[in-house]
């Protein structure tokens, strides 16, 4: 994989007794966007800082565009890694104008080429007429665009973005995120995005790496990590999820909401039900009961208690109105099938191999 945009090979980094990055392995193809997502403290920023060269690995190797930049002993300086960095605080130089900020990484070029590239990038981020302004004369979104133009202007081999949209308000955030992804794609620049926001990760990444406690727990395309999570942690972190016990049913496996496939392998399993998987109809003799409802704008999410006492959620159109206490029949939405995940850290799931046979 020496030709890949980025190769992180069994990299470990500890701070005292805290192993922030634990034997991580991941490669990035040319022009690929990787979203690195996980809860606070799972090691995302440390991994990004190792790639940037702001930290040195204890063990393992990092290669950028085929060049080894850290092998645990020799460490290449950040400015010699040909990377673009964008952080949440957009760190512009306050005493330089927008144009001077963008030109900062182009000092080795002649004046006319530098000015030409600078206006090219300011035009691309939609700030062609802002060159003479100072950072304090810009909105948060505009500052973030300048930071992006500054990082992209030297044509980096790799872009590293650490929570780049976190300081923007939600509407602006979605728009700037779309603009940034478009720009990275248009320039064919591979990038690693760090975010703690699963929606952002699903929307930006060609692939998503879900981190937990210093390790990558699952790496896959967005639909894979959302619809085919491997562990209970990934299922729960990537979206609203309820977990149901699994029982053996003849040769197959069954939950209260219907059958499912349980892959081979070790570990206790539980079924994942997402709110869009579950529907219900009022029925006097229904075995489930509505015990909660939450209005979320486009949908209302109902909480159902099934006959066994298990709780699931059901997202319904705002046109559906059901009172608390209503008896209902719960079912899977047509075409939906539950997935089984390894219930790795709790003892609430049933071990598929040992659970009781209903016959
Ligand atoms: P994330 O970006 O996912 O929130 P970090 O990479 O910042 O997580 O941190 C991972 C772990 O490493 C945390 O336990 C954090 O406290 C610890 N850590 C990060 N940087 C340092 C540091 N410079 N010194 C000591 N501990 C650190």
């Amino acid at each position: 994989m020496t030709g890949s945009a980025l190769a992180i090979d069994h990299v470990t980094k500890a701070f005292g007794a805290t192993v922030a990055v634990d034997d991580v392995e991941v490669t990035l193809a040319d022009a690929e966007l990787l979203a690195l997502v996980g809860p606070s403290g799972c090691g995302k920023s440390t991994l990004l800082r190792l790639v940037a060269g702001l930290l040195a690995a204890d063990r393992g190797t990092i290669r950028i565009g085929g060049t080894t930049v850290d092998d645990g002993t020799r460490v290449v300086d950040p400015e010699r890694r040909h990377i673009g960095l964008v952080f949440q605080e957009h760190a512009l130089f306050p005493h330089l104008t927008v144009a001077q900020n963008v030109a900062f990484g182009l000092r080795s070029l002649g004046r006319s080429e530098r000015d030409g590239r600078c206006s090219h990038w300011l035009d691309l981020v939609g700030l062609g007429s802002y060159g003479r302004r100072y950072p304090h004369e810009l909105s948060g979104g505009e500052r973030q665009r300048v930071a992006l133009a500054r990082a992209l202007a030297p044509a980096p081999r790799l872009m590293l973005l650490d929570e780049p949209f976190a300081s923007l308000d939600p509407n602006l955030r979605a728009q700037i995120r779309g603009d940034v992804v478009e720009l990275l794609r248009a320039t064919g620049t591979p990038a690693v995005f760090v975010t703690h926001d699963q929606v952002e990760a699903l929307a930006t990444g060609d692939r998503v790496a879900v981190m937990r406690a210093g390790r990558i727990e699952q790496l896959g395309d967005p639909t894979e990590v959302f619809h085919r999570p491997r562990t209970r942690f990934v299922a729960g972190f990537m979206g609203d999820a309820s977990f149901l016990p699994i029982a053996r049913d003849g040769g197959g496996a069954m939950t209260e909401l219907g059958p499912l496939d349980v892959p081979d392998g070790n570990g206790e399993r539980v079924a994942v039900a997402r709110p869009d998987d579950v529907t219900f109809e009022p029925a006097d003799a229904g075995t489930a009961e509505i015990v909660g409802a939450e209005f979320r704008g486009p949908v209302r999410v109902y909480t159902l208690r099934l006959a066994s006492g298990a709780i699931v959620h059901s997202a319904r159109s705002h046109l559906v109105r059901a009172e608390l206490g209503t008896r209902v029949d719960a079912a899977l939405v047509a075409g939906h099938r539950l997935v089984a995940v390894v219930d790795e850290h709790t003892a609430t799931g049933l071990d598929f191999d040992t659970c009781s046979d209903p016959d």
Side-chain angles (χ1 to χ4, degrees):
M1 297 298 267
T2 48
S4 60
L6 170 67
I8 299 172
D9 191 10
H10 295 289
V11 165
T12 293
K13 175 73 184 174
F15 300 104
T18 306
V19 183
V21 169
D22 188 3
D23 199 30
V24 164
E25 192 179 7
V26 63
T27 57
L28 211 68
D30 289 335
E32 188 180 16
L33 307 186
L34 177 74
L36 207 53
V37 67
S40 180
C42 72
K44 307 178 294 294
S45 293
T46 302
L47 187 56
L48 205 76
R49 281 162 198 274
L50 287 164
V51 176
L54 302 171
L55 291 170
D58 297 337
R59 274 196 304 282
T61 306
I62 300 173
R63 287 191 297 272
I64 297 175
T67 304
T68 300
V69 293
D70 187 344
D71 62 7
T73 50
R74 279 181 311 112
V75 181
V76 174
D77 289 340
E79 52 277 16
R80 295 182 50 230
R81 293 191 179 198
H82 305 289
I83 49 169
L85 286 174
V86 179
F87 291 104
Q88 179 181 341
E89 304 80 18
H90 23 76
L92 299 177
F93 300 115
H95 58 291
L96 298 184
T97 64
V98 163
Q100 288 165 339
N101 263 284
V102 176
F104 187 80
L106 306 173
R107 283 160 296 165
S108 59
L109 302 179
R111 171 134 197 200
S112 69
E113 194 182 349
R114 191 173 61 216
D115 289 351
R117 271 228 236 167
C118 191
S119 12
H120 168 75
W121 281 103
L122 282 177
D123 283 343
L124 266 183
V125 296
L127 296 175
S129 59
Y130 285 55
R132 289 170 184 276
R133 291 205 195 180
Y134 284 88
H136 73 269
E137 297 171 312
L138 304 176
S139 71
E142 289 161 352
R143 280 201 290 272
Q144 197 57 302
R145 283 168 201 245
V146 176
L148 193 73
R150 187 177 66 176
L152 280 167
R157 287 197 292 206
L158 175 68
M159 280 288 281
L160 303 173
L161 303 102
D162 194 350
E163 301 274 6
F165 316 116
S167 60
L168 306 177
D169 69 57
N171 290 337
L172 191 62
R173 190 174 170 144
Q175 188 204 320
I176 302 240
R177 186 173 72 209
D179 292 349
V180 169
V181 168
E182 204 176 296
L183 209 57
L184 291 170
R185 293 208 187 284
T187 53
T189 311
V192 182
F193 274 94
V194 161
T195 176
H196 64 275
D197 178 340
Q198 66 275 29
V199 173
E200 195 155 285
L202 293 172
T204 53
D206 294 315
R207 284 187 304 157
V208 175
V210 186
M211 281 191 80
R212 177 193 206 185
R215 289 178 168 258
I216 293 180
E217 186 140 318
Q218 188 167 348
L219 175 64
D221 69 41
T223 53
E224 207 172 318
V225 293
F226 186 77
H227 288 299
R228 294 194 300 285
R230 281 206 293 268
T231 63
R232 181 173 173 138
F233 168 77
V234 172
F237 188 77
M238 294 311 291
D240 194 340
S242 310
F243 299 96
L244 293 174
I246 300 171
R248 188 185 293 275
D249 179 35
M254 188 54 116
T255 70
E256 264 183 294
L257 291 177
L260 81 170
D261 299 320
V262 178
D264 291 337
N266 295 326
E268 294 178 312
R269 307 295 171 106
V270 284
V272 181
R274 298 212 186 271
D276 61 301
D277 292 325
V278 181
T279 188
F280 61 83
E281 285 302 326
D284 290 342
T287 54
E289 180 186 352
I290 295 189
V291 294
E294 189 177 282
F295 179 58
R296 296 202 189 155
V299 293
R300 192 177 296 272
V301 177
Y302 289 93
T303 305
L304 312 184
R305 186 165 54 226
L306 304 182
S308 66
I311 295 290
V312 291
H313 296 111
S314 169
R316 303 295 303 272
S317 156
H318 64 279
L319 297 175
V320 175
R321 298 303 299 267
E323 300 300 324
L324 297 192
T326 308
R327 307 291 317 175
V328 296
D329 282 330
L332 283 185
V333 170
H336 287 224
R337 205 170 162 87
L338 301 185
V339 294
V341 291
V342 174
D343 190 7
E344 71 288 28
H345 300 294
T346 70
T348 56
L350 299 177
D351 186 331
F352 179 63
D353 291 331
T354 58
C355 68
S356 59
D357 191 327
D359 300 333

